[in-house]
């Protein structure tokens, strides 16, 4: 039997001298976005990176291909790149080796990777929706995968994503058991793409509940516009003035009261809450880190994995920017453009496909009985800013605004999500993938006052999806800016009596809008409320609602000074009182003029074309 000699004194001293170096050696690590079950982006170079002991050689293999790198710099960062590959559902193994350490990841496939970004209505899981039972029963889709990134807002751009903010530890495949965890919009979108394209589809769900758009814009983009720059400077100022001790003192005072109350109730000492420290200060209370502040969510949840190639982004957000004093539509429009441009820059794709799902409808639905009561809406302005900000990017081919106001159910988190994901899938299949799947949009071409009517012309037919003949959802105003329910009719082509349908009897590119309360109209709005009335669809397709719009320039009150709000609680109360007065006035007047109104509606839209 072979035995080993005990080490000499010199050898023991040498070993002891090496211990500090061995203890400080950086362990091999791959960036947190990589894990087993991952989907890597097809048709673009595959970049893999991580960290090891600086100076160490790193070997990486993906399937049969190999690449080498050396960890460099103080943090020992390494990176390798593999040539672009076509889509493949064949499972690959990703292996990284360095300094005697090995990291292995299995079941890696090649396909398209889509980022699902925004706030809580994008993060909302399939299990919490009305369609969960049916969708999950069909969720055995081994080529559909998702990685979820939980809240991880940060003051500065991060280089990694800790496993602690990934609820599932990494990528998971879709099964009836796991599908409930997937973003509901993401699942509806990704499952349709996967079945249609028959390639692996990966979803990165990095939506953050409560996030304002300010937190989702890459930080370097705030310098690109004076309005954005001034806002970012105000955040820096708030951060400089932030007093940690004051914040902790408030928490301690609250803690002391709570502990005293619990002791009176006989709660054991080992069951009492621990004294709070800096680590317990909520991110919401830290300027620069709050999910309301510049780039914070992007820093820790999106930009943290830049370098990974992706196919595109689907975005859904709006609530936090639509709330009273936080509502700044002009700034929102600027930031929408900067956000998309920033994504394209950071992910090295100037034509990165982006679809923006409009601010959802979660308030009491507007109807003809409560119409004026809901005409005061910051949310309607935010929808407009989403649409216009995206249009400002100047890429109609690879970007799309997808109206969502018609999918209505009261609440901050409407349980209807499937429609949004399917609409996004239609857009992607049509525009991004060039498939023969219908998707379309329409725009207002002109709005002209003719006597006491406003005559609207659209570039494409717009009509209710049930082919009914009455357009609904219009508001009309005179020079006083007071909007009332507008009665609307299509331009009649051929009268078939009770057999009239929108698509056959009318020119649905022309809509006449009128109100007996507005003698000289100057402006029209359509679907202009938080959960607006509006039944027009492009071509009469249920999945293509006409985007809300206005023809006026009466903007939401907004200051260029980010520290000043021009719309507070008292302003909201006054606006609501005015809306109630308009509502009651319209109902009473139309009741008085009932016969006259009916006669005018019989004739509205039947004038001969000039």
């Amino acid at each position: 039997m072979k035995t080993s000699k005990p080490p000499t004194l010199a050898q023991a001293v040498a070993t002891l001298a090496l211990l500090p170096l061995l203890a400080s050696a950086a362990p091999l690590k791959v960036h947190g976005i990589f894990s087993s079950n991952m989907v890597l982006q097809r048709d673009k170079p595959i970049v893999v990176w991580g960290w090891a002991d600086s100076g160490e050689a790193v070997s990486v293999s993906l399937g049969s291909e190999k690449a080498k790198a050396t960890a460099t710099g103080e943090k020992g960062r390494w990176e390798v790149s593999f040539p672009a590959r076509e889509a493949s559902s064949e499972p690959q193994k990703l292996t990284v080796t360095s300094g005697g350490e090995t990291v292995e990841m299995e079941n890696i496939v090649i396909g398209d990777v889509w980022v699902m970004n925004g706030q809580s209505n994008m993060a909302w899981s399939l299990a919490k929706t009305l369609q969960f039972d049916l969708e999950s029963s069909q969720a055995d889709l081994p080529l559909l995968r998702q990685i979820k990134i939980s809240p991880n807002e940060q003051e500065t751009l991060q280089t990694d994503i800790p496993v602690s903010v990934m609820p599932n530890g990494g990528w998971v495949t879709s099964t009836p058991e796991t599908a409930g965890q997937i973003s509901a919009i993401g699942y509806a979108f990704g499952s349709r793409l996967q079945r249609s394209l028959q390639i692996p589809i990966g979803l990165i769900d990095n939506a953050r509940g409560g996030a304002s758009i300010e937190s989702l814009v890459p930080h370097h983009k705030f310098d690109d516009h004076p309005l954005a720059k001034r806002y970012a400077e105000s955040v820096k100022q708030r951060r400089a003035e932030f007093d940690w001790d004051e914040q902790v003192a408030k928490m301690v005072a609250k803690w002391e009261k709570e502990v005293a109350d619990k002791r009176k109730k006989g709660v054991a000492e080992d069951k009492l809450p621990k004294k709070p420290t800096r680590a317990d200060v909520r991110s919401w209370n830290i300027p620069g880190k709050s999910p309301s502040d510049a780039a914070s969510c992007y820093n820790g949840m999106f930009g943290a994995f830049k370098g990974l190639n992706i196919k595109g982004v689907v975005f859904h957000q709006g609530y936090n920017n639509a709330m009273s004093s936080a509502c700044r539509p002009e700034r929102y429009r600027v930031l929408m453009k900067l956000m998309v441009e920033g994504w394209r820059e950071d992910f090295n794709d100037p034509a990165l496909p982006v679809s923006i799902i409009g601010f959802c409808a979660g308030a009491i639905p507007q109807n003809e009985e409560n119409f004026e009561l809901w005409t005061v809406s910051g949310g309607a302005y935010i929808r407009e800013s989403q649409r216009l900000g995206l249009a400002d990017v100047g890429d109609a081919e690879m970007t799309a605004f997808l109206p969502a106001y018609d999918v209505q159910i009261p609440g901050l988190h409407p349980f209807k999500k499937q429609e949004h994901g399917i609409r996004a899938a239609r857009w992607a299949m049509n525009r991004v993938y060039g498939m023969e799947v219908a998707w379309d949009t329409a725009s207002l071409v002109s709005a002209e006052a003719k006597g006491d009517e406003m005559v609207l012309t659209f570039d494409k037919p717009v009509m209710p999806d049930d082919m009914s003949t009455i357009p609904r959802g219009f508001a009309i105003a005179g020079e006083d800016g007071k909007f009332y329910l507008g009665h609307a009719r299509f331009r009649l082509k051929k009268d078939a009596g009770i057999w009239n349908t929108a698509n056959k009897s009318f020119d649905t590119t022309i809509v006449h809008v009128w109100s007996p309360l507005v003698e000289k109209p100057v402006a029209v709005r359509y679907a202009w409320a938080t959960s607006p009335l509006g039944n027009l669809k492009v071509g009469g397709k249920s999945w293509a609602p006409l985007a809300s719009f206005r023809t006026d320039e009466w903007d939401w009150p907004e200051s260029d000074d980010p520290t000043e709000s021009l719309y507070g609680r008292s302003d909201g109360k006054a606006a609501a009182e005015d809306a109630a007065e308009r509502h009651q006035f319209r109902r009473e007047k139309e009741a008085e003029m009932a016969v006259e109104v009916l006669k005018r509606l019989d004739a509205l839209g039947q004038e001969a074309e000039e």
Side-chain angles (χ1 to χ4, degrees):
M1 180 178 176
K2 187 176 180 180
T3 60
S4 58
K5 297 180 180 179
T8 64
L9 179 62
Q11 290 172 326
V13 170
T15 300
L16 290 171
L18 284 172
L19 285 177
L21 296 176
L22 293 172
S24 64
L28 175 63
K29 187 181 186 312
V30 184
H31 190 284
I33 200 69
F34 298 93
S35 81
S36 293
N37 304 315
M38 182 182 190
V39 178
L40 293 168
Q41 181 58 45
R42 62 170 170 163
D43 300 331
K44 293 181 179 181
I46 298 172
V47 181
V48 183
W49 71 99
W51 298 266
D53 194 20
S54 189
E56 283 284 352
V58 180
S59 177
V60 183
S61 64
L62 178 61
S64 60
E65 289 188 275
K66 298 182 183 296
K68 294 183 180 296
T70 300
T72 60
E74 183 180 344
K75 295 184 178 180
R77 188 181 187 279
W78 54 266
E79 178 182 303
V80 300
S81 181
F82 295 96
R85 298 187 184 187
E86 295 180 350
S88 172
S89 58
E90 180 180 351
Q92 304 282 316
K93 181 179 287 188
L94 177 63
T95 304
V96 183
T97 303
S98 179
E101 293 183 272
T102 298
V103 176
E104 287 189 349
M105 288 162 271
E106 299 180 334
N107 195 25
I108 309 291
V109 291
I110 315 294
D112 282 348
V113 179
W114 286 85
V115 176
M116 315 305 291
N117 192 234
Q119 62 178 115
S120 55
N121 277 297
M122 174 60 88
W124 201 251
S125 66
L126 181 62
K128 298 177 182 178
T129 65
L130 299 177
Q131 299 88 9
F132 172 59
D133 53 355
L134 182 61
E135 292 282 19
S136 62
S137 70
Q138 307 170 64
D140 189 9
L141 300 169
L143 298 184
L144 177 65
R145 286 98 183 275
Q146 176 185 271
I147 184 171
K148 181 172 180 58
I149 301 171
S150 291
N152 188 39
E153 51 271 14
Q154 300 291 337
E155 291 183 63
T156 58
L157 184 62
Q158 303 297 292
T159 58
D160 197 8
I161 302 172
V163 69
S164 60
V165 300
M166 292 183 282
N168 300 305
W171 291 79
V172 295
T173 60
S174 173
T175 68
E177 292 73 36
T178 64
Q181 308 168 32
I182 299 176
S183 154
I185 293 175
Y187 180 85
F189 172 78
S191 62
R192 270 67 178 180
L193 289 191
Q194 199 285 308
R195 291 175 182 134
S196 298
L197 298 169
Q198 289 293 297
I199 65 169
I201 296 293
L203 305 173
I204 300 176
D205 173 8
N206 59 357
R208 203 296 184 199
S212 298
I213 193 172
E214 288 83 355
S215 74
L216 303 168
V217 179
H219 204 284
H220 71 277
K221 297 302 293 182
F222 286 91
D223 288 334
D224 288 5
H225 192 283
L227 195 63
K229 186 173 183 178
R230 188 174 182 183
Y231 158 73
E233 288 172 349
S234 75
V235 175
K236 288 182 182 178
Q237 182 64 29
R238 285 192 288 112
R239 183 65 181 87
E241 297 170 354
F242 179 66
D243 188 333
W244 278 101
D245 293 336
E246 181 181 351
Q247 283 293 319
V248 173
K250 289 179 180 178
M251 295 168 60
V252 170
K254 184 178 179 181
W255 169 79
E256 288 174 342
K257 184 179 184 303
E258 182 183 2
V259 167
D261 289 343
K262 288 183 179 292
R263 281 175 174 156
K264 288 179 181 178
K265 295 176 181 179
V267 176
E269 289 295 316
D270 61 346
K271 300 295 183 181
L272 295 175
K274 294 181 179 179
K275 184 177 181 179
T277 65
R278 276 194 180 193
D280 300 306
V281 177
R282 295 178 69 228
S283 63
W284 292 97
N285 297 328
I286 305 174
K289 187 177 181 180
S290 166
S292 296
D293 285 344
S296 61
C297 293
Y298 184 81
N299 285 338
M301 301 175 68
F302 201 157
F305 59 83
K306 71 176 184 177
L308 181 78
N309 279 316
I310 59 176
K311 183 65 177 181
V313 182
V314 180
F315 180 85
H316 185 37
Q317 188 269 346
Y319 255 113
N320 277 57
N321 289 97
M323 295 179 179
S324 58
S325 61
C327 186
R328 294 176 180 265
E330 183 183 357
R331 187 166 83 194
Y332 195 107
R333 177 175 178 173
V334 168
L335 295 180
M336 173 59 68
K337 176 177 183 286
L338 297 181
M339 181 179 71
V340 174
E341 291 175 343
W343 292 342
R344 289 177 161 186
E345 292 167 10
D346 279 358
F347 286 83
N348 196 32
D349 187 344
L352 185 74
V354 175
S355 71
I356 306 297
I357 299 172
F359 171 47
C360 62
I364 300 300
Q366 184 187 44
N367 56 51
E368 293 173 349
E369 292 300 312
N370 65 14
F371 191 84
E372 288 79 11
L373 300 178
W374 289 100
T375 53
V376 181
S377 169
Y381 284 93
I382 291 301
R383 287 194 188 99
E384 178 187 55
S385 294
Q386 291 175 329
R387 175 173 57 84
L388 296 179
L390 188 62
D392 291 341
V393 174
D395 182 11
E397 190 63 29
M398 282 295 122
T399 63
F401 175 71
L402 308 177
Y405 65 80
D406 62 315
V407 183
Q408 298 187 356
I409 187 169
L412 290 174
H413 302 110
F415 297 159
K416 300 177 182 178
K417 303 295 183 194
Q418 184 185 59
E419 295 89 339
H420 305 315
I422 291 176
R423 290 172 184 179
R426 278 189 171 275
W427 161 75
M429 291 178 198
N430 179 284
R431 290 298 180 89
V432 180
Y433 296 105
M435 299 174 67
E436 292 185 3
V437 174
W439 177 82
D440 207 355
T441 186
S443 300
L444 180 70
V445 175
S446 66
E448 184 179 359
K450 290 188 175 182
D452 60 357
E453 298 179 17
M454 290 290 289
V455 181
L456 311 180
T457 303
F458 298 90
D459 60 354
K460 294 171 187 171
V462 293
M463 67 194 83
D465 56 14
D466 62 1
M467 298 302 129
S468 59
T469 62
I470 309 297
R472 302 186 189 281
F474 290 95
I476 188 168
E479 291 182 354
D480 61 1
K482 292 184 178 294
F483 282 92
Y484 296 95
L485 172 71
H487 300 281
R489 295 292 186 271
F490 295 115
R491 174 73 58 80
L492 183 66
K493 292 192 303 184
K494 183 180 180 181
D495 192 353
I498 64 170
W499 299 105
N500 279 336
T501 59
N503 60 329
K504 294 182 179 180
S505 306
F506 297 87
D507 180 352
T508 56
T509 64
I510 300 175
V511 177
H512 297 250
V513 185
W514 168 83
S515 168
L517 282 68
V518 182
E519 293 183 6
K520 295 181 179 180
V522 299
V524 167
R525 293 178 174 180
Y526 172 72
W528 203 265
T530 303
S531 291
L533 178 65
N535 65 346
L536 297 183
K537 308 296 175 74
V538 181
K541 303 296 191 299
S542 62
W543 39 262
L546 175 68
S548 55
F549 65 85
R550 61 183 173 129
T551 64
D552 63 88
E553 295 182 356
W554 294 314
D555 296 336
W556 186 266
E558 181 174 358
S559 173
D560 289 344
D561 182 350
T563 66
E564 179 186 29
S565 173
L566 298 183
Y567 194 89
R569 185 170 297 178
S570 61
D571 301 289
K573 182 178 180 181
E577 290 174 352
D578 176 72
E581 290 176 5
R582 285 185 283 117
H583 174 64
Q584 188 62 24
F585 179 65
R586 191 258 304 176
R587 296 183 70 192
E588 291 176 358
K589 279 295 183 180
E590 289 193 342
E592 292 175 9
M593 305 168 63
V595 175
E596 180 183 338
V597 170
L598 289 174
K599 288 181 178 179
R600 184 57 189 277
L601 292 181
D602 286 342
L604 189 62
Q606 297 193 33
E607 296 86 345
E609 294 188 41
E610 298 179 358

